[in-house]
Amino acid sequence: MATKTSGGNAAFHNFHNDYAHVADPNERRRLALAEIDKAPFGWYHIRAIVVAGVGFFTDAYDIFAINMVTPMLGVVYWQQNEGTIPSNADTAIKVATSGGTVIGQVGFGWLADIVGRKRMYGLELILIIFATLAQSLAAPSASMSIVGLIIFWRVLMGVGIGGDYPLSSIITSEFATTKWRGAMMGSVFAMQGFGQFAAAIIALIMAAGFKESLKSAKTVAECTGVCGLATDKMWRVVIGFGAVPGCIALYYRLTIPETPRYTFDVARDIEKGDKDIKAYVSGKQGEGKVDELRRVRTYQETQQTLDIPKASWSDFVTHYMQWKNGKVLLGTAGSWFFLDVAFYGLGLNNSTILSAIGYAKGDDVFEVFHNTAVGNLIIVCAGSIPGYWVTVALCDKIGRKPIQIMGFVVLTILFCVIGFAYHKLSEHGLLALYVIAQFFFNFGPNATTFIVPGECFPTRYRSTSHGLSAAAGKVGAIVAQCVFGPLRTRGYQEGDEDKSPWLNHVMEIFALFMFCGIFTSLLIPETKRKTLEELAGEVPGTVNYDSRFQTAAGSGTQNSGEESGTGDAIEAKV
């Protein structure tokens, strides 16, 4: 029997004493996790959202700021090409981040299941900060081009960004109350919208700050001297500012406690899990304090009686070889792949698309950069940010799965309209449809593909599975950049006014990918208002119940009875 502890009052209830008398470790775990699931929404939840959300703000800023930066790089380093960055260099710089992100998502996701969420959280942010500052200070030399330098640092930055996806998702999920888990995870992901907004704002401020210098050139081909110097300063500030929010959040990430679910299910440390939950629900920063002697004794006594299977490669394969589990991973990974083909195919080319529909034009270089930044702001403010927050408001009411399927259906229709009616629509009509598409990306699969993988997998493989799903998405982003980027310029001849003659057909292909996403979405479960343990198949009588837990429970009960004398003694204590 666990010993009761002192402390607790009307403001900070001593939850530990509520179940300190319970001898069965499985029952103690269930009761402890129920405290997190049923806890009223409080400041400790807001703190978790902010700490994770600032990272996603940084991620989005660093990913999408390149929209505004590549035209500036063209002005500074490709005056021999009329101030325009070559399409292969543009594609390589944008793909570099996605390539690094795939590595980070799989690597950090796997490590967070092996060594713990706490040990990995913050390391990815250090990598992002370092690589971001290095980019902003990069300069070419006789032996190294600017493209090579930026690609190198953006790959490293991408590894850090990739690590943030599974870690922020599952840490928020495992600390969240069941009632508002979707809203909490959605709020973290919604910070991407503010990151995109900040990138456009900084670009707009830079354009305004160097207005007189930029106005000295009528076109980017003539932007030399003071105009070229101003542009060189602009792109470095736009990139470098991405390190600022990461520095603010770094301390809080490095000092978070381990998630109680990891402590219970993977570390299998009952006493530590109890104390961490008590500290968290009481609103205290950091980990709970535990009696080390009792912790060691309890750890030794409970290793053979916990029902939760131990993580191993054989168990991982066995788990996902079952169709009911494997189809969920296929659904989350497939949906993210189909989504990101279109989402990043468009998102990383906002400036190009704005130019193609005639919105990023101007009488001088200042107006070109100014209008490009304003166009990005319009897309983000009118489409992306509202879409994110509508998802936050509704995902715990109407569910993740309906939102995801609805989003894919609407996007299929929108891309068909944009693609097949491209040459019949006005500039304002195309911009309006593009903004609506951004809204339904985010009030749709872009948000839900992040939320669902953080909920529907068992704790011992949750981070790895989320990382694999997210990596599938970034593979889609790479496909979009490597395949559809060049397709956009198919048929372009030197001197043609339209530099993206195949853009309408690319939109039609995106419609096909959105249509495929509808079917992969049918494979995922609805996670609304269900505990993580129910979704992992641990709760008897539910649809997801895994029969292996029944076997483990029987074995655990028998071992418990043998060690304590009789099963009746344990039952009496409970």
Side-chain angles (χ1 to χ4, degrees), residues 332-372:
T332 56
S335 298
W336 215 329
F337 172 82
F338 291 128
L339 162 75
D340 275 5
V341 169
F343 182 74
Y344 281 94
L346 295 178
L348 292 178
N349 294 289
N350 276 351
S351 298
T352 302
I353 293 167
L354 288 169
S355 297
I357 64 180
Y359 200 85
K361 296 178 180 177
D363 295 330
D364 52 48
V365 175
F366 165 74
E367 289 190 7
V368 171
F369 288 150
H370 177 273
N371 291 344
T372 299

Side-chain angles (χ1 to χ4, degrees), residues 183-204:
M184 287 182 64
M185 297 178 72
S187 297
V188 169
F189 198 63
M191 295 302 289
Q192 275 201 341
F194 291 120
Q196 291 172 264
F197 175 82
I201 282 289
I202 296 299
L204 185 62

Side-chain angles (χ1 to χ4, degrees), residues 5-312:
T5 61
S6 61
N9 53 41
F12 300 107
H13 183 69
N14 190 338
F15 290 105
H16 181 270
N17 286 348
D18 290 344
Y19 43 83
H21 64 288
V22 179
D24 183 356
N26 296 294
E27 184 65 8
R28 288 183 67 188
R29 169 183 172 274
R30 186 190 68 78
L31 291 170
L33 295 180
E35 294 297 340
I36 291 181
D37 292 335
K38 297 185 295 183
F41 191 81
W43 282 109
Y44 42 91
H45 291 120
I46 295 174
R47 185 176 63 204
I49 291 170
V50 171
V51 172
V54 171
F56 264 89
F57 176 98
T58 304
D59 297 346
Y61 183 99
D62 290 333
I63 290 173
F64 293 102
I66 205 67
N67 275 326
M68 277 72 69
V69 166
T70 49
M72 299 176 190
L73 291 174
V75 169
V76 178
Y77 297 104
W78 280 277
Q79 275 303 312
Q80 73 277 15
N81 195 41
E82 298 184 345
T84 302
I85 185 172
S87 60
N88 59 345
D90 180 72
T91 299
I93 288 172
K94 292 173 180 176
V95 167
T97 309
S98 296
T101 302
V102 171
I103 298 170
Q105 286 164 335
V106 175
F108 275 82
W110 174 66
L111 286 170
D113 279 337
I114 298 296
V115 303
R117 286 70 159 126
K118 173 182 171 58
R119 291 184 181 180
M120 300 307 300
Y121 209 39
L123 298 182
E124 82 292 349
L125 203 54
I126 293 173
L127 189 56
I128 292 170
I129 293 168
F130 178 73
T132 299
L133 291 174
Q135 280 179 77
S136 67
L137 299 173
S141 67
S143 63
M144 182 65 68
S145 70
I146 189 65
V147 175
L149 286 167
I150 292 179
I151 286 175
F152 176 79
W153 291 117
R154 287 192 75 81
V155 168
L156 286 183
M157 185 187 74
V159 173
I161 290 173
D164 204 22
Y165 273 75
L167 285 167
S168 289
S169 174
I170 61 171
I171 286 173
T172 306
S173 171
E174 291 176 359
F175 274 123
T177 174
T178 301
K179 184 177 181 181
W180 300 113
R181 188 175 61 239
M184 287 182 64
M185 297 178 72
S187 297
V188 169
F189 198 63
M191 295 302 289
Q192 275 201 341
F194 291 120
Q196 291 172 264
F197 175 82
I201 282 289
I202 296 299
L204 185 62
I205 292 172
M206 288 297 100
F210 291 100
K211 181 176 180 178
E212 295 306 318
S213 297
L214 297 175
K215 277 188 169 293
S216 65
K218 294 297 182 184
T219 66
V220 290
E222 301 170 6
C223 187
T224 57
V226 292
C227 178
L229 179 61
T231 308
D232 191 37
K233 294 177 181 178
M234 286 170 61
W235 80 261
R236 295 178 187 279
V237 173
V238 171
I239 289 288
F241 185 82
V244 174
C247 292
I248 297 171
L250 183 58
Y251 167 77
Y252 296 98
R253 288 201 170 193
L254 293 174
T255 57
I256 68 159
E258 183 57 84
T259 68
R261 283 183 163 89
Y262 182 89
T263 304
F264 276 126
D265 296 357
V266 183
R268 305 171 80 83
D269 190 338
I270 300 298
E271 287 292 333
K272 187 69 167 64
D274 285 353
K275 290 292 188 177
D276 284 349
I277 288 177
K278 176 188 174 186
Y280 175 70
V281 178
S282 299
K284 297 178 181 177
Q285 179 72 20
E287 301 180 357
K289 295 181 180 179
V290 64
D291 184 319
E292 291 298 332
L293 290 177
R294 184 166 67 243
R295 178 184 181 183
V296 172
R297 184 174 64 250
T298 303
Y299 180 83
Q300 293 173 341
E301 291 173 351
T302 58
Q303 288 310 290
Q304 301 302 318
T305 56
L306 279 172
D307 293 345
I308 306 302
K310 289 185 178 181
S312 66

Side-chain angles (χ1 to χ4, degrees), residues 239-496:
I239 289 288
F241 185 82
V244 174
C247 292
I248 297 171
L250 183 58
Y251 167 77
Y252 296 98
R253 288 201 170 193
L254 293 174
T255 57
I256 68 159
E258 183 57 84
T259 68
R261 283 183 163 89
Y262 182 89
T263 304
F264 276 126
D265 296 357
V266 183
R268 305 171 80 83
D269 190 338
I270 300 298
E271 287 292 333
K272 187 69 167 64
D274 285 353
K275 290 292 188 177
D276 284 349
I277 288 177
K278 176 188 174 186
Y280 175 70
V281 178
S282 299
K284 297 178 181 177
Q285 179 72 20
E287 301 180 357
K289 295 181 180 179
V290 64
D291 184 319
E292 291 298 332
L293 290 177
R294 184 166 67 243
R295 178 184 181 183
V296 172
R297 184 174 64 250
T298 303
Y299 180 83
Q300 293 173 341
E301 291 173 351
T302 58
Q303 288 310 290
Q304 301 302 318
T305 56
L306 279 172
D307 293 345
I308 306 302
K310 289 185 178 181
S312 66
W313 285 111
S314 59
D315 180 68
F316 181 87
V317 173
T318 301
H319 180 78
Y320 283 113
M321 284 297 289
Q322 298 181 67
W323 172 242
K324 68 176 183 179
N325 299 324
K327 73 175 183 179
V328 176
L329 183 58
L330 178 63
T332 56
S335 298
W336 215 329
F337 172 82
F338 291 128
L339 162 75
D340 275 5
V341 169
F343 182 74
Y344 281 94
L346 295 178
L348 292 178
N349 294 289
N350 276 351
S351 298
T352 302
I353 293 167
L354 288 169
S355 297
I357 64 180
Y359 200 85
K361 296 178 180 177
D363 295 330
D364 52 48
V365 175
F366 165 74
E367 289 190 7
V368 171
F369 288 150
H370 177 273
N371 291 344
T372 299
V374 170
N376 276 276
L377 282 173
I378 291 172
I379 291 169
V380 172
C381 293
S384 298
I385 291 177
Y388 282 118
W389 290 101
V390 172
T391 298
V392 171
L394 298 179
C395 67
D396 283 314
K397 296 181 180 178
I398 65 178
R400 288 68 147 157
K401 192 171 181 176
I403 290 175
Q404 182 162 313
I405 293 173
M406 176 274 300
F408 274 126
V409 169
V410 173
L411 287 167
T412 302
I413 296 169
L414 285 171
F415 282 122
C416 282
V417 172
I418 294 172
F420 290 104
Y422 185 83
H423 296 294
K424 298 178 182 178
L425 293 166
S426 66
E427 293 177 3
H428 293 293
L430 283 169
L431 182 62
L433 287 173
Y434 189 48
V435 168
I436 294 170
Q438 290 296 321
F439 176 85
F440 282 102
F441 268 129
N442 297 305
F443 177 44
N446 190 41
T448 55
T449 51
F450 172 81
I451 295 172
V452 174
E455 302 175 303
C456 63
F457 300 112
T459 301
R460 62 191 186 281
Y461 304 128
R462 184 171 292 127
S463 183
T464 302
S465 302
H466 192 288
L468 291 172
S469 301
K474 288 304 171 287
V475 170
I478 293 170
V479 169
Q481 291 300 302
C482 293
V483 177
F484 297 116
L487 270 181
R488 170 180 56 82
T489 59
R490 185 179 181 184
Y492 171 70
Q493 298 293 329
E494 190 76 27
D496 288 353

